[in-house]
């Protein structure tokens, strides 16, 4: 290993605040330095979270979307997808069932679908919280400050809104009709409302390079994110980016590991997309700095329809089988499923504990 790379990993263990140039350097390990990078990220993860892995059950309640992101199979102009929407009672029932099989956090996720008014979603959140003891993350895209405020008041604890890329030019190319500034505004609003904020990016996007990836990692730090979702870009033939190659597991793991070095206290999922590219992808992620897994809790008949990218794993599994399987995966690498809500350590420090039954 190069002495400079070894020094940089030692600095990470000592809590260094890296510059962009240093992050670029960390993102370019030589072959014989990769294991040391992953092991360092894993040591930092262990020092913060111990051997516990947090599970977040994902409820994909609508695959309608009014946006046209170039990489996404849910985009409005994709006619090769069967659309569905769940009614409020169904969402509440699925949420309650997920809690009954052991989930303490749920992510209510959809495309940007204005069918679900803020009032309707507030009602769903309240009904879930009245019925079961669970932390709720929303992943429903861009809304106004007042909407976010009402949803928080109704009991939403966390919000996931990935930036996908922090590079303005690339963001503009990938998101027709959307504004970089508004995306940032959403994240700042959510922080100001004391949500735990989840952001993130994709690795292997066309026109991306090591410099833009380093900027993403610094961006996560500047945003003071509580959770960072990092997944590979997976090319979907039903989108305008269908002719581009997918990202790789190796590249994604490097970004994941360096993100842990730069953002020691964040919750980092080993994503389903990583598991879709490699049958051991999630295990590899968990051993390269990740501490969260996000299994699907939807009934089987809906799972295949939420097709952001092709070849998604676990689309034929029943939720209880998925839950069992994921616990086996976690135990197989010597880790345990956490029985808590999995708050971010930053959030706990801010005194932002999950507000139950609100
Ligand atoms: S990435 Fe999100 S906002 Fe964009 S098309 Fe897909 S579901 Fe819609």
């Amino acid at each position: 290993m190069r002495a400079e790379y070894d020094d940089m990993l030692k600095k990470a263990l000592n809590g260094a605040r890296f510059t962009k140039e240093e992050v670029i350097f960390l993102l370019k390990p030589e072959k014989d330095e990769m294991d040391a990078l992953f092991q360092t990220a894993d040591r930092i993860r262990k020092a913060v979270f111990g051997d516990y892995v947090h599970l977040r059950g994902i409820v994909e309640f609508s695959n309608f979307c009014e946006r046209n992101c170039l990489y996404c199979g849910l985009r409005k102009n994709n006619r090769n997808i069967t659309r569905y929407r769940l009614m409020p009672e169904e969402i509440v029932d699925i949420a309650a069932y997920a809690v009954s099989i052991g989930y303490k956090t749920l992510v209510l996720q959809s495309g940007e679908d204005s069918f679900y008014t803020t009032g309707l979603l507030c009602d769903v959140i309240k009904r879930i919280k009245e019925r079961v003891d669970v932390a709720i993350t929303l992943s429903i895209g861009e809304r106004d400050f007042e909407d976010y405020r009402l949803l928080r008041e109704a009991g939403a604890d966390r919000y996931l809104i990935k930036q996908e890329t922090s590079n303005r030019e690339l963001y503009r190319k990938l998101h027709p009709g959307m504004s970089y500034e508004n995306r940032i505004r959403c994240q700042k609003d959510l922080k100001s409302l004391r949500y735990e904020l989840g952001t993130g990016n994709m690795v292997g996007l066309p026109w991306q390079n090591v410099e833009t990836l380093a900027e993403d990692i610094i961006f996560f730090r500047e945003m003071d994110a509580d959770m960072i979702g990092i997944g590979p870009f997976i090319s979907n033939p039903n989108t305008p980016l269908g002719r581009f190659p997918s990202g790789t597991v190796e590249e994604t793991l490097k970004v994941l590991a360096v993100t842990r070095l730069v953002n020691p206290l964040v919750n980092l999922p080993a994503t389903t997309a990583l598991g879709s590219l490699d049958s051991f992808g999630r295990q590899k992620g968990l051993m390269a700095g990740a501490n969260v897994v996000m299994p699907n809790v939807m009934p089987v008949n809906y799972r295949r329809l939420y097709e952001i990218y092709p070849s998604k794993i676990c689309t034929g599994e029943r939720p209880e089988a998925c839950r069992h399987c994921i616990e086996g995966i976690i135990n197989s690498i010597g880790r345990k499923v956490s029985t808590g809500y999995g708050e971010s350590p930053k959030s706990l420090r801010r005194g932002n504990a999950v507000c139950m039954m609100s």
Side-chain angles (χ1 to χ4, degrees):
M1 187 188 323
R2 291 168 295 172
E4 309 90 281
Y5 205 84
D6 190 36
D7 282 349
M8 207 60 88
L9 295 180
K10 288 193 178 114
K11 275 177 79 176
L13 289 169
N14 289 321
R17 188 176 172 84
F18 291 111
T19 63
K20 178 176 151 189
E21 287 63 39
E22 288 172 325
V23 174
I24 292 174
F25 179 70
L26 280 164
L27 283 171
K28 295 199 285 192
E30 295 189 341
K31 274 271 169 258
D32 67 330
E33 293 163 343
M34 298 264 272
D35 282 349
L37 167 63
F38 298 153
Q39 281 161 15
T40 305
D42 197 49
R43 275 180 71 182
I44 295 173
R45 184 274 311 156
K46 189 175 169 77
V48 178
F49 298 95
D51 284 331
Y52 289 103
V53 175
H54 300 303
L55 297 187
R56 322 287 198 209
I58 305 195
V59 182
E60 296 163 338
F61 62 89
S62 162
N63 69 355
F64 279 83
C65 188
E66 289 147 25
R67 304 287 195 181
N68 257 317
C69 307
L70 296 196
Y71 45 82
C72 177
L74 303 194
R75 65 198 308 272
K76 182 181 173 187
N77 289 356
N78 181 13
R79 309 267 176 254
N80 296 322
I81 182 171
T82 306
R83 305 281 177 174
Y84 71 88
R85 278 189 182 113
L86 262 55
M87 291 303 105
E89 311 70 60
E90 294 177 277
I91 305 174
V92 176
D93 284 346
I94 289 171
Y97 180 68
V99 174
S100 78
I101 59 172
Y103 289 95
K104 300 289 282 181
T105 299
L106 295 176
V107 183
L108 305 186
Q109 185 166 66
S110 68
E112 290 208 11
D113 185 0
S114 54
F115 171 86
Y116 296 90
T117 61
T118 295
L120 185 152
L121 288 171
C122 285
D123 184 52
V124 167
I125 294 165
K126 283 181 191 157
R127 283 165 62 188
I128 294 173
K129 287 229 165 173
E130 274 160 20
R131 201 156 139 191
V132 285
D133 177 13
V134 70
I136 294 183
T137 303
L138 294 176
S139 173
I140 56 171
E142 298 180 13
R143 298 218 172 190
D144 293 338
F145 180 88
E146 184 58 10
D147 298 306
Y148 290 149
R149 193 188 66 74
L150 291 168
L151 292 162
R152 178 85 178 106
E153 206 174 85
D157 302 288
R158 304 170 186 162
Y159 205 104
L160 173 58
I161 181 161
K162 287 174 70 181
Q163 183 63 31
E164 305 301 2
T165 174
S166 63
N167 182 279
R168 270 170 211 273
E169 185 53 24
L170 183 51
Y171 185 90
R172 199 186 51 74
K173 256 188 191 159
L174 296 172
H175 303 98
M178 294 173 75
S179 133
Y180 183 91
E181 286 69 29
N182 197 48
R183 198 75 174 176
I184 303 283
R185 190 272 305 159
C186 289
Q187 291 167 78
K188 290 191 170 159
D189 282 356
L190 292 161
K191 285 295 292 185
S192 75
L193 288 162
R194 293 168 64 88
Y195 280 89
E196 281 191 31
L197 175 68
T199 181
N201 70 347
M202 258 186 287
V203 180
L205 284 163
W207 312 292
Q208 195 177 42
N209 56 42
V210 71
E211 190 166 332
T212 57
L213 287 167
E215 286 165 2
D216 289 350
I217 294 171
I218 301 280
F219 168 87
F220 302 147
R221 183 176 69 196
E222 314 281 273
M223 205 41 89
D224 192 21
D226 295 288
M227 184 275 215
I228 302 171
I230 295 169
F233 159 67
I234 301 184
S235 182
N236 183 333
N238 291 318
T239 68
L241 298 190
R243 66 197 159 88
F244 288 93
S246 296
T248 65
V249 172
E250 188 176 280
E251 204 56 30
T252 308
L253 291 174
K254 276 193 263 180
V255 175
L256 187 69
V258 175
T259 299
R260 172 61 74 205
L261 267 43
V262 177
N263 299 273
L265 298 181
V266 294
N267 278 317
L268 269 184
T271 59
T272 304
L274 200 48
S276 296
L277 280 189
D278 176 335
S279 49
F280 287 97
R282 286 177 296 181
Q283 290 91 321
K284 288 177 183 173
L286 288 170
M287 292 189 286
N291 69 308
V292 171
V293 180
M294 301 172 76
N296 195 316
V297 299
M298 291 295 284
V300 174
N301 49 328
Y302 291 114
R303 289 184 176 218
R304 279 193 188 84
L305 305 179
Y306 205 87
E307 199 180 20
I308 294 176
Y309 54 82
S311 314
K312 197 171 166 190
I313 47 168
C314 309
T315 53
E317 306 293 326
R318 293 191 337 276
E320 56 280 21
C322 243
R323 173 70 181 72
H324 186 69
C325 165
I326 208 71
E327 184 147 6
I329 287 175
I330 289 165
N331 294 340
S332 75
I333 55 166
R335 312 267 281 277
K336 292 174 272 207
V337 172
S338 156
T339 53
Y341 302 110
E343 289 102 337
S344 97
K346 289 184 187 182
S347 170
L348 286 172
R349 204 181 270 175
R350 288 192 296 264
N352 223 17
V354 170
C355 175
M356 305 317 308
M357 307 296 180
S358 41

